[in-house]
Amino acid sequence: MASHRRPKQPSRARVTVLTTAAAAAVVMSSQAANAAPSEKPSKDEVKAKVDKLYEQAEQATEKYNGAKEKQEKLQKEISTLQDNVAKGQQELNDLRDGLGSMASAQYRSGGIDPSVQLFLSADPDDYLDKASTLDQLSAQQVEGLKKIQEKQRELAQQRSEAAEKLKDLSSTRAELGKKKKEVQGKLASAQKLLNSLTAAEKAQLADEQSRATRASERDALSVNVPPGSGRAAAAFAAAQSKLGTPYVYGATGPSSFDCSGLTSWAYAQAGVGIPRTSEAQTGAGTKIYSVDQLKVGDLVFFFNDLHHVGLYAGNGQIIHAPRTGTVVRYESMNTIGGPFMFGVRV
């Protein structure tokens, strides 16, 4: 007969353990649910993170600007070299045609010498190295061969330079693409954080920025600090004319700017050419390390790596293109986010 035993019941201790574990899981789940809202960063925390991302984006932007400037310079140099090579090749062909015509005339008169015959089918570099050959050539033929030899060497050098610059251009383009992706990545991360804010929080941030800009503008216009020179005054006036123009990374005006794009454009309007990037602009004039000695129109640089630049506006204020999402505006030097390093009087 089959056995009909009752199934074994779990022990009291096992039931107690399972019940306790289940209760703990419920408590932990409840705590996690209650904690979730508090894990959302506050408006100020989001702003701090966004400001840091914008700073990193601007650092990458200045590197991008440098690579772009180098690319444009290399393209011009390569174009010039290629034009010179084409022109030089035509000159070489003309020299060869001239010597060939001379040889043909000698042949028709029965006087062509073996050396010229050999030249017409050989490399003159190798041919001219043979001293015995020179004795068999006329002075005119020797001069023609020497010109051909010089032109060949010149063309070889230019072709070599062009090849090196093309390699450099390729690596520069790769660096340009890398920096562009880095900038776009930082900006996308910043936008994602901003999107996490409520409409009310976004409005509060916008209002804070607007009030800070108005206060900086009042401070800048409250004193009349004389400009350092007529050129500095003209550059400052040009920057003032662009107040409210949007910031766009890599832009040099006139409808949008990044920080060094604004300063280089402003000085260009004053008839003064300064370098494109903030780091390079530090060498555009005399350095001034005291804020008290700055004059309106002086370039002012911030952060240890000098990735931000503006124009001094007096009373501790600057005109600059701050970052993505802002416009050209006045701002206190104390709110830039990085230390003032020095000014430059162009």
Side-chain angles (χ1 to χ4, degrees):
M1 293 178 59
S3 175
H4 298 282
R5 297 179 180 178
R6 294 176 60 190
K8 186 177 180 181
Q9 298 297 317
S11 68
R12 184 183 298 272
R14 178 175 173 81
V15 170
T16 302
V17 169
L18 290 172
T19 303
T20 302
V26 170
V27 170
M28 289 176 67
S29 176
S30 175
Q31 288 176 339
N34 292 331
S38 65
E39 290 175 359
K40 180 180 180 295
S42 68
K43 172 178 68 67
D44 291 339
E45 288 173 333
V46 167
K47 183 180 183 305
K49 291 179 181 178
V50 166
D51 287 345
K52 187 63 179 177
L53 284 166
Y54 281 145
E55 179 189 337
Q56 293 169 349
E58 190 175 39
Q59 288 174 310
T61 293
E62 286 303 301
K63 298 294 183 185
Y64 167 87
N65 290 339
K68 187 176 181 182
E69 185 178 39
K70 183 179 179 181
Q71 174 185 257
E72 291 169 354
K73 181 181 177 183
L74 282 170
Q75 286 174 327
K76 289 180 181 177
E77 290 174 349
I78 289 168
S79 179
T80 298
L81 279 169
Q82 290 174 335
D83 287 345
N84 290 341
V85 167
K87 182 180 177 183
Q89 185 62 55
Q90 184 58 50
E91 291 174 357
L92 179 60
N93 293 340
D94 292 343
L95 287 170
R96 283 174 168 164
D97 289 345
L99 198 61
S101 297
M102 190 187 307
S104 297
Q106 288 180 339
Y107 178 77
R108 286 194 298 271
S109 64
I112 187 170
D113 58 49
S115 59
V116 175
Q117 290 178 338
L118 179 59
F119 159 72
L120 293 176
S121 61
D123 181 356
D125 272 343
D126 177 61
Y127 195 43
L128 279 173
D129 287 337
K130 299 175 181 178
S132 60
T133 300
L134 294 176
D135 294 335
Q136 302 173 34
L137 296 175
S138 69
Q140 190 176 4
Q141 290 168 339
V142 169
E143 186 63 27
L145 283 171
K146 284 183 176 179
K147 285 182 179 179
I148 288 173
Q149 185 184 47
E150 289 170 3
K151 182 56 67 175
Q152 284 180 318
R153 288 172 178 167
E154 181 184 330
L155 284 173
Q157 178 64 29
Q158 289 176 335
R159 286 190 175 108
S160 176
E161 287 180 24
E164 286 300 315
K165 289 185 184 296
L166 282 167
K167 285 170 58 179
D168 198 4
L169 178 61
S170 178
S171 62
T172 299
R173 281 175 172 160
E175 177 69 10
L176 189 63
K178 178 182 175 183
K179 289 303 174 186
K180 185 175 182 179
K181 285 183 180 179
E182 184 178 348
V183 173
Q184 291 173 333
K186 299 293 183 184
L187 296 180
S189 297
Q191 189 59 53
K192 185 176 180 181
L193 279 169
L194 288 172
N195 290 342
S196 71
L197 296 175
T198 64
E201 288 172 329
K202 290 177 183 177
Q204 286 175 349
L205 276 181
D207 184 57
E208 289 171 7
Q209 288 185 356
S210 178
R211 281 188 280 111
T213 299
R214 289 196 299 271
S216 293
E217 183 173 358
R218 286 195 302 270
D219 289 340
L221 298 176
S222 64
V223 293
N224 183 22
V225 181
S229 70
R231 293 178 300 178
F236 183 73
Q240 280 184 310
S241 74
K242 291 301 177 180
L243 287 168
T245 304
Y247 177 103
V248 173
Y249 82 89
T252 56
S255 57
S256 59
F257 299 93
D258 61 20
C259 71
S260 57
L262 174 65
T263 51
S264 59
W265 178 87
Y267 265 95
Q269 307 318 296
V272 182
I274 64 174
R276 167 65 179 93
T277 66
S278 59
E279 185 176 358
Q281 287 177 12
T282 61
T286 305
K287 289 185 173 61
I288 301 165
Y289 292 93
S290 171
V291 174
D292 294 337
Q293 294 177 357
L294 290 172
K295 293 183 179 181
V296 171
D298 287 341
L299 298 171
V300 279
F301 298 87
F302 300 86
F303 298 94
N304 292 330
D305 62 356
L306 307 170
H307 72 259
H308 190 71
V309 62
L311 290 168
Y312 190 61
N315 204 29
Q317 311 295 311
I318 66 170
I319 286 181
H320 68 149
R323 55 174 174 75
T324 297
T326 65
V327 297
V328 174
R329 68 189 187 192
Y330 289 102
E331 189 164 352
S332 168
M333 293 171 67
N334 296 325
T335 60
I336 299 303
F340 165 71
M341 303 307 294
F342 52 79
V344 167
R345 186 156 298 150
V346 177

